[in-house]
Amino acid sequence: MMKLSILLTATIKPSVVGGNFTVQERYEMYRSTLTFYSKVVGKRYNFVFVENSNVDLTSLKKEFEDKLNIEFLQFTSNAVLSDSIFSVDKFDNTKGKGYNEYLMIKKAILQSKYLNEASHFLKITGRYAMVNILTMIREIEYRCN
């Protein structure tokens, strides 16, 4: 039987200066997305929120601990991400944000309780709510069963 988890990737405080949003605005975007999922999805599926800028997530954890089945993981950009003595991956901004996001996902797969219990996961950016998420989940479940 299929067991789906939802993986949300996040960078609340980007290391590259610039962009269109302040750190507080980005934080509120992630909070708004989690609020949407708490109302639409609730506790039907497990969520894994993976953040890589070492911003304090205490208030998000408190706000959503009773509204979502959610696991928060953080990997900082200066952390060494190693899954064995033979493989050491470091965040590298020169390789682009996609590379660093890949490393976040890789580390989350290795460390997340919810992802390890799942047979499948849906990766979504954590900053923007997928308003048709229930349709997507139904389609995933239909195709996987």
Side-chain angles (χ1 to χ4, degrees):
M1 176 161 171
M2 189 193 85
K3 184 170 182 179
L4 180 70
S5 286
I6 300 162
L7 173 63
L8 304 174
T9 55
T11 303
I12 296 173
K13 183 179 179 182
S15 60
V16 178
V17 178
N20 298 323
F21 302 103
T22 67
V23 172
Q24 187 57 39
E25 288 170 326
R26 288 177 69 93
Y27 184 92
E28 286 303 316
M29 293 168 89
Y30 290 109
R31 191 181 90 36
S32 174
T33 297
L34 291 174
T35 299
F36 174 82
Y37 292 139
S38 71
K39 292 177 181 174
V40 173
V41 178
K43 292 191 167 203
R44 286 180 274 182
Y45 297 90
N46 293 332
F47 284 82
V48 180
F49 186 90
V50 184
E51 204 280 332
N52 72 344
S53 66
N54 207 27
V55 169
D56 184 5
L57 300 178
T58 304
S59 63
L60 281 180
K61 291 175 183 178
K62 286 181 183 176
E63 183 173 354
F64 294 102
E65 68 185 347
D66 294 329
K67 298 176 183 174
L68 291 167
N69 290 334
I70 189 163
E71 177 181 27
F72 288 90
L73 300 174
Q74 279 188 294
F75 309 116
T76 60
S77 59
N78 61 356
V80 175
L81 304 180
S82 176
D83 55 86
S84 76
I85 61 171
F86 303 108
S87 176
V88 176
D89 299 314
K90 291 183 181 182
F91 284 117
D92 184 348
N93 290 330
T94 66
K95 293 183 178 181
K97 62 185 178 182
Y99 176 78
N100 293 332
E101 184 175 46
Y102 151 75
L103 292 179
M104 278 179 30
I105 294 167
K106 179 180 175 181
K107 194 66 171 176
I109 290 168
L110 293 169
Q111 292 190 3
S112 167
K113 175 187 175 208
Y114 286 158
L115 292 179
N116 281 288
E117 293 173 350
S119 61
H120 297 76
F121 70 89
L122 172 62
K123 185 276 183 199
I124 309 171
T125 182
R127 199 154 45 119
Y128 303 109
M130 181 184 281
V131 295
N132 64 339
I133 191 166
L134 294 179
T135 302
M136 294 296 296
I137 289 171
R138 278 193 301 274
E139 186 67 20
I140 291 167
E141 289 177 334
Y142 171 76
R143 290 175 183 261
C144 290
N145 289 329

